[in-house]
Amino acid sequence: MNRRSVLALPALALAAPATLRAQVFDRPFRLVVPFAPGGTSDILGRILAPELTRLLGQNVVVENRSGAAGNLGAELVARSAPDGQTILLIDTGVLATAPALFTRLPFEPMRDLAPVNLLIYAPYILAVHPSVPAANAAEFVALAKRAPNTINVAHSGVGAANHLTALMLTQAWGAELTQVPYRGGAAALAAVTGGEAQMIINGATATAPFVKDGRLRGLAVSGPRRLPDFPNLPTFAELGWPAQESGTWQGVLVQGATPAPIVARLDEAFRQALAVPDVARRMAEIGAEVRAMGPAPFRQWLAGETEAWGRVVRANNIKLD
């Protein structure tokens, strides 16, 4: 299905402009990113915003609203007017884990937010600070097992998908590492590049530049295949590790009562934006795969992810309230 969605993008790019022009929006759009600048969601939003502005006929402004493990920005959109002009761009793992993490979540993701499109998938890169005495994944696992709780793992928040992935990996390794939460992926990256922590599992989109310039040493990647820019990094599957399909899945949602025609217009706009050659090139450069998925299949997919990550949260007895 994902391949067919990608192949359909050029046709949509030709067919949709007249339809989009028929929908008149009366003010600028808020593209809410519920994390600090510098993470995958923020990078993606700033790539897409100029094209969306052209397609929708109003400025699309990226607005960073970090806090409460992504829930602050998500709640803002859930409580916004149902007119499609306040859009949430989020790592969908945040929405999938929230119901299991919070007993009193101030909104219900599957009720108060309407899926528009699952945009991209970027695998995780597992990387370490260059001072860590391990040249490859096997050496790192041996080090972690030999020296319990001497390695700090930076992640983007308790219960975040990269935190849960780190827990799954360390349990499979039989190692004990110290999990350290930060306010988003950018802050976690800063902690590892600065030597405050020693390991990170984070989206390739945001992490790859630090591996390329030597500030981090890449050891492995999630996802179905090795990354073209890092052919020497084995996949989790090759190493026999769990969480092989973990990564950062970026999607867009609007207020839950937004009329279906408006949701459809936004779906078209995001598909068109992703089909622009320069955008497609930049997606490839940052290690992201377009996984365009419309409202109905996105809703079904998100329900499955919520169930799957909920099991991991409950198995590790994690609660944030």
Side-chain angles (χ1 to χ4, degrees):
M1 178 175 65
N2 290 335
R3 178 173 172 78
R4 289 198 299 271
S5 296
V6 174
L7 292 175
L9 287 174
L12 281 167
L14 293 174
T19 304
L20 285 168
R21 284 196 296 270
Q23 175 65 52
V24 178
F25 296 104
D26 61 3
R27 66 181 188 281
F29 288 82
R30 302 166 70 188
L31 187 59
V32 178
V33 173
F35 313 108
T40 302
S41 301
D42 181 67
I43 292 170
L44 177 61
R46 295 181 190 281
I47 290 174
L48 293 177
E51 296 300 334
L52 293 170
T53 294
R54 176 179 62 83
L55 291 163
L56 294 169
Q58 291 285 350
N59 284 338
V60 176
V61 181
V62 176
E63 182 177 325
N64 297 92
R65 284 295 188 100
S66 62
N71 288 326
L72 190 117
E75 183 184 1
L76 184 154
V77 176
R79 297 183 182 279
S80 68
D83 56 10
Q85 296 207 235
T86 303
I87 305 169
L88 178 67
L89 195 166
I90 192 169
D91 183 332
T92 55
V94 171
L95 295 178
T97 58
L101 287 170
F102 296 90
T103 304
R104 295 178 296 277
L105 197 63
F107 65 99
E108 169 52 54
M110 299 299 290
R111 181 195 66 206
D112 298 332
L113 293 169
V116 174
N117 196 301
L118 181 63
L119 303 176
I120 67 163
Y121 165 72
Y124 283 147
I125 294 179
L126 188 156
V128 296
H129 188 270
S131 65
V132 174
N136 54 50
E139 290 183 7
F140 180 73
V141 172
L143 174 66
K145 294 171 71 172
R146 189 168 62 246
N149 292 316
T150 61
I151 296 172
N152 290 339
V153 182
H155 58 77
S156 59
V158 174
N162 60 351
H163 173 221
L164 299 179
T165 298
L167 289 177
M168 293 170 70
L169 291 180
T170 55
Q171 289 164 6
W173 299 341
E176 296 180 14
L177 284 71
T178 302
Q179 305 286 336
V180 184
Y182 289 86
R183 290 176 64 89
L189 279 168
V192 184
T193 56
E196 183 178 303
Q198 291 73 48
M199 170 188 152
I200 190 168
I201 299 172
N202 198 55
T205 302
T207 310
F210 297 92
V211 177
K212 287 180 179 178
D213 68 16
R215 283 182 284 174
L216 292 175
R217 180 187 303 131
L219 297 181
V221 298
S222 65
R225 64 189 66 87
R226 296 191 181 198
L227 295 177
D229 286 351
F230 304 102
N232 295 325
L233 298 188
T235 65
F236 290 8
E238 291 176 79
L239 295 166
W241 293 354
Q244 295 172 10
E245 282 295 313
S246 62
T248 175
W249 298 81
Q250 302 293 323
V252 285
L253 305 95
V254 290
Q255 204 280 333
T258 302
I262 292 178
V263 173
R265 296 291 197 278
L266 296 176
D267 176 29
E268 286 183 309
F270 276 96
R271 287 174 184 267
Q272 280 191 267
L274 288 168
V276 172
D278 184 59
V279 172
R281 176 186 59 79
R282 294 178 71 181
M283 292 295 105
E285 287 177 351
I286 62 178
E289 299 178 17
V290 173
R291 299 284 185 98
M293 184 186 295
F298 183 15
R299 179 178 292 278
Q300 184 177 4
W301 180 89
L302 185 57
E305 288 292 290
T306 301
E307 174 59 29
W309 283 118
R311 288 195 297 268
V312 178
V313 170
R314 291 187 290 271
N316 286 278
N317 196 29
I318 303 172
K319 278 292 182 185
L320 292 183
D321 56 6

